[in-house]
Amino acid sequence: MRVLIVDDSRLARMALRKALPPALSREVTEAASGSEALRCIEGSRFDLMFLDLTMPDVNGYELLKTLQDTGRMLPTIVVSADVQTLAVERVIKLGAIALVKKSFRSSELDQVLVRAGLL
Amino acid sequence: MTPLLLSEEKRDALRELVNIGMGTAAAALAAALGTFVELTSPGLEVTDRGSVAKQLDTGAWRNSEIEAVRQPFFGAFTGESVMLFDRPAHAELAGMVGYGPESAVVEQQEVLLDVANVVIGACVNGIAESLAELVSFAPPTRLGTRADVRAFLSREAVAWQQGLIVNVDFKLEARSFLSRVLVFLPEPSMLRIDQALSRLLDGLAAG
């Protein structure tokens, strides 16, 4: 499974990569911004994207909207510190599978992946 | 004294810890204010005391009337935090928690104290908890207007030489105002955070 991690923080990308189950950690690409993620998606096929919402150029909402509008949506799990009820509702409406709160445990991520049929 | 400059990797890590704290603050504010809070990626810079005062004379803050709230913190690391609001924030925030447009200044200031308490607490705790450290807070108090902030920044009693400046833009849906959080850390606290960040990053790299 080819995985794309999109987050402007290197720490967050490292933490997520470390938390990934072995089945998902073999082919991982990292993007440090929404615009870099768009370039990755244009150039390669990914089976799953982990997406931060708060990024300085193209934020997570904008990236989801662009992918939805252009028919390029891929299975996406939002990983964000922003856990407002409305934030969860909005990302789901924009096509994300789930929102996982940052500083999660590996077991929490596994549960979301199992529920989504990705593990 | 040679200023302690965090490496780029540690600044990135610290920015992310603040970001996590701000997410918590946004959720709390959204629940209290009944609206969606749009967050931007926090800007973070380490600078000296004089530069902080100069920043209040630039950009959008230059011509803004300022109301400031101060909240010291203690524990694993000690410091001062100040949250700045521009003038529209007073009535906007007061209105959102049910005070009418004619609400008294004291009521509007009370709302700013509550908001600052949530935001500063989340910001500083975001750093402390992620580094497995513990801090406690003094109650927030009104610092005053622009002149009072200047006086505060120039006081020798404020035991810091470098400031960790966290710029946080809050946008409430269909409303906007300026707010900024300043977190000031004296040299020993900066050093402790630097060491804790080293442990955090080493732990991740070892995995």
Side-chain angles (χ1 to χ4, degrees):
Chain A
M1 186 174 275
R2 302 194 65 187
V3 172
L4 177 62
I5 297 175
V6 188
D7 200 307
D8 59 316
S9 165
R10 183 169 176 269
L11 175 78
R13 297 196 303 272
M14 279 171 69
L16 182 54
R17 197 184 257 266
K18 192 176 174 186
L20 284 178
L24 299 186
S25 59
R26 293 187 191 102
E27 286 187 85
V28 178
T29 301
E30 295 184 11
S33 67
S35 51
E36 190 182 340
L38 276 173
R39 286 195 295 275
C40 290
I41 292 166
E42 280 165 8
S44 305
R45 186 186 62 80
F46 292 95
D47 304 297
L48 177 62
M49 174 168 68
F50 292 97
L51 175 66
D52 182 28
L53 288 179
T54 312
M55 293 184 288
D57 63 344
V58 177
N59 69 33
Y61 294 106
E62 291 164 341
L63 180 59
L64 285 172
K65 180 83 169 53
T66 300
L67 294 176
Q68 194 178 53
D69 288 349
T70 55
R72 290 179 294 170
M73 181 58 75
L74 67 153
T76 300
I77 294 174
V78 170
V79 183
S80 175
D82 187 351
V83 288
Q84 297 173 71
T85 307
L86 268 174
V88 179
E89 288 174 6
R90 285 178 187 193
V91 299
I92 298 298
K93 201 172 171 184
L94 286 168
I97 297 168
L99 188 151
V100 178
K101 187 181 186 306
K102 273 189 174 176
S103 292
F104 53 82
R105 293 191 184 91
S106 295
S107 58
E108 293 173 63
L109 185 61
D110 288 353
Q111 284 172 13
V112 171
L113 290 166
V114 168
R115 275 203 302 272
L118 294 162
L119 195 63
Chain B
M1 183 183 294
T2 306
L4 173 66
L5 295 174
L6 296 174
S7 66
E8 187 49 46
E9 186 181 32
K10 286 178 181 172
R11 285 183 193 216
D12 167 80
L14 196 52
R15 193 178 297 116
E16 178 64 6
L17 300 187
V18 171
N19 186 36
I20 290 171
M22 295 320 301
T24 306
L29 284 181
L33 301 175
T35 188
F36 182 68
V37 179
E38 291 177 34
L39 286 175
T40 56
S41 194
L44 189 148
E45 94 184 80
V46 180
T47 188
D48 60 79
R49 189 201 311 233
S51 302
V52 178
K54 283 180 194 158
Q55 284 194 9
L56 295 179
D57 295 328
T58 60
W61 287 96
R62 188 174 178 177
N63 298 315
S64 301
E65 278 185 60
I66 289 174
E67 181 72 22
V69 174
R70 171 193 175 196
Q71 190 167 31
F73 50 91
F74 317 93
F77 47 89
T78 297
E80 284 274 5
S81 50
V82 173
M83 186 162 184
L84 308 172
F85 300 90
D86 71 351
R87 184 68 201 165
H90 306 197
E92 286 277 5
L93 289 168
M96 295 180 80
V97 295
Y99 290 121
E102 72 293 343
S103 59
V105 170
V106 69
E107 289 169 332
Q108 294 182 8
Q109 286 171 351
E110 184 185 304
V111 175
L112 297 188
L113 289 178
D114 288 342
V115 170
N117 194 34
V118 169
V119 174
I120 289 171
C123 183
V124 176
N125 272 328
I127 299 171
E129 288 174 6
S130 302
L131 299 175
E133 302 277 20
L134 189 65
V135 291
S136 54
F137 296 85
T141 54
R142 179 174 181 262
L143 178 57
T145 59
R146 181 184 293 268
D148 302 305
V149 174
R150 281 191 188 290
F152 172 79
L153 291 174
S154 64
R155 271 211 320 261
E156 287 303 319
V158 182
W160 58 277
Q161 290 301 321
Q162 295 180 81
L164 171 66
I165 304 183
V166 181
N167 290 324
V168 182
D169 287 330
F170 281 106
K171 274 190 184 171
L172 305 181
E173 211 146 51
R175 305 159 194 249
S176 71
F177 55 83
L178 289 173
S179 67
R180 175 172 290 186
V181 180
L182 308 174
V183 180
F184 303 122
L185 295 157
E187 197 80 11
S189 295
M190 291 287 288
L191 188 60
R192 182 144 184 171
I193 287 176
D194 185 76
Q195 290 165 343
L197 287 169
S198 293
R199 290 194 297 275
L200 177 73
L201 291 167
D202 289 348
L204 276 174

